[in-house]
Amino acid sequence: MSVERLAIVGLGLIGSSIARGARTYGLAKHIVAIDRDRHVIERVQALGISDLATTDAAEGVREADLVILCVPVGAIGAVAETIAPHLKPGAVVSDVGSVKAAVVAAVTPHLAEANAFVPAHPVAGTEYSGPDSGFATLFSNRWCILTPPDGANEEAVERVRALWQGLGAIVETMTPEHHDLVLAITSHVPHLIAYNIVGTAADLEEVTQSEVIKFSAGGFRDFTRIAASDPTMWRDIFLTNREAVLEMLGRFNEDLSALSRAIRWGDGEALHELFTRTRTIRRGIVAMGQETAEADFGRARTAAPASVQG
Ligand code: NAP
């Protein structure tokens, strides 16, 4: 099912990947790109990934059948308020925000009954931002979670589902609250741990910065990739999914205390038992096609670049 006119608000990593994918896989007859930033619009025009690119949100959404909000979570409500009076009856609104309950609460009050809201979250991304960082296959074989409200318009849900399936995603449906709890442990807390560990290493006085970089392949390097993620996006995620993150962080802290105790008392059996269980989880993720089985994430086995060798 192809959409007549698709409008994308926010042409960063996710928005520009949707635009590229929609064009590549023929999912929309007309693609409209909307961003508040004139430089982003100029880049989008130069890249040729939309039929129309504008900073005028009202004009951009006017004839759209499907509007996808791809701005940071904290800005989605304000954008919904701006575009709502300009939507045509029957236009479906969706988003890609990494948090769902707060987004539903921020968007729903602004939309007319004739404009269904079908929230979505593609569980796919990289640590890069902006229109140049997107690519058409970003969502291929990745999950996209829809959180439609009870009694949602079936046709509206189908329109959004068809877009994500067309982009290559595997679509699953759940409530916004359940989504936020699941993502707190699978995505939000891991990012917080990465931000924290990279921050701690950077603060260590007895380890010079060059040593942190030099020996980073000992595990630290993989945290730095996550900790390089967009600061605005992640600030908004922690501010809007506060309860679920704090709940999961509480459990994490308890388990970390148990691990500290096992190390202090030399309980090798407890450590070995946990590390065996976690290895099974990694293998399960690889078996589901969500990660490569290649050693070291498939990194080329060459010497580290000269600049990193210090
Ligand atoms: P991004 O690359 O930083 O792009 C966001 C774009 O939205 C930027 O061009 C930004 O412009 C624009 N924008 C911000 N506020 C706006 C406003 N009020 N009106 C119009 N445009 C505005 O971000 P992204 O990584 O694509 O993330 C976008 C959304 O996708 C977020 O809600 C995020 O939670 C979700 N998401 C991200 C990932 C990921 O891994 N990155 C994965 C899944 C879902 P400025 O540069 O001027 O701010």
Side-chain angles (χ1 to χ4, degrees):
M1 181 170 48
S2 144
V3 171
E4 193 68 31
R5 200 173 177 86
L6 171 69
I8 301 165
V9 188
L11 270 288
L13 168 70
I14 301 295
S16 76
S17 294
I18 296 174
R20 286 174 168 94
R23 166 138 312 160
T24 304
Y25 306 119
L27 305 175
K29 294 218 174 79
H30 298 277
I31 301 169
V32 183
I34 303 157
D35 202 288
R36 65 173 180 183
D37 188 336
R38 195 172 44 80
H39 297 108
V40 170
I41 289 303
E42 283 166 8
R43 262 323 280 159
V44 168
Q45 283 165 339
L47 291 164
I49 55 177
S50 70
D51 299 296
L52 173 73
T54 176
T55 53
D56 185 342
E59 183 210 334
V61 301
R62 197 159 283 135
E63 292 303 319
D65 304 285
L66 177 56
V67 180
I68 314 215
L69 311 179
C70 305
V71 299
V73 166
I76 294 179
V79 172
E81 185 176 14
T82 305
I83 63 165
H86 310 284
L87 295 168
K88 72 173 181 183
V92 175
V93 178
S94 186
D95 76 308
V96 295
S98 307
V99 174
K100 295 278 55 112
V103 165
V104 170
V107 170
T108 312
H110 300 300
L111 298 183
E113 219 167 287
N115 297 122
F117 181 45
V118 182
H121 175 207
V123 187
T126 74
E127 65 276 33
Y128 296 106
S129 308
D132 286 282
S133 62
F135 50 100
T137 54
L138 175 62
F139 312 109
S140 173
N141 201 28
R142 295 284 168 257
W143 294 100
C144 182
I145 301 170
L146 306 189
T147 65
D150 280 345
N153 179 315
E154 276 301 320
E155 206 193 306
V157 177
E158 232 9 81
R159 203 177 295 177
V160 176
R161 183 193 300 275
L163 177 84
W164 285 106
Q165 286 176 337
L167 291 168
I170 316 156
V171 176
E172 182 139 333
T173 300
M174 59 181 74
T175 66
E177 293 72 22
H178 188 68
H179 166 278
D180 290 352
L181 209 54
V182 171
L183 268 291
I185 192 62
T186 56
S187 171
H188 306 169
V189 169
H191 273 79
L192 199 66
I193 293 166
Y195 281 125
N196 190 49
I197 198 163
V198 175
T200 303
D203 286 347
L204 283 179
E205 278 172 28
E206 66 269 34
V207 179
T208 67
Q209 198 140 355
S210 71
E211 278 178 314
V212 170
I213 293 167
K214 185 170 161 187
F215 298 115
S216 67
F220 182 73
R221 183 176 63 184
D222 294 329
F223 281 108
T224 63
R225 186 191 69 75
I226 299 177
S229 299
D230 190 74
T232 306
M233 166 180 160
W234 284 95
R235 177 204 62 197
D236 285 4
I237 287 173
F238 291 116
L239 294 181
T240 54
N241 198 23
R242 189 168 39 190
E243 257 116 71
V245 168
L246 290 177
E247 151 106 24
M248 289 303 166
L249 213 48
R251 295 175 74 135
F252 174 82
N253 280 328
E254 280 177 28
D255 292 343
L256 196 60
S257 299
L259 269 180
S260 304
R261 204 168 45 244
I263 293 169
R264 181 172 304 112
W265 295 105
D267 187 351
E269 208 177 305
L271 296 175
H272 194 271
E273 193 270 327
L274 174 67
F275 302 163
T276 306
R277 265 197 297 137
T278 54
R279 194 174 225 197
T280 314
I281 290 183
R282 167 80 189 168
R283 287 174 179 165
I285 293 169
V286 171
M288 282 182 86
Q290 296 296 308
E291 178 58 286
T292 173
E294 284 182 68
D296 200 18
F297 303 103
R299 284 185 180 109
R301 293 185 193 187
T302 53
S307 60
V308 178
Q309 285 174 332

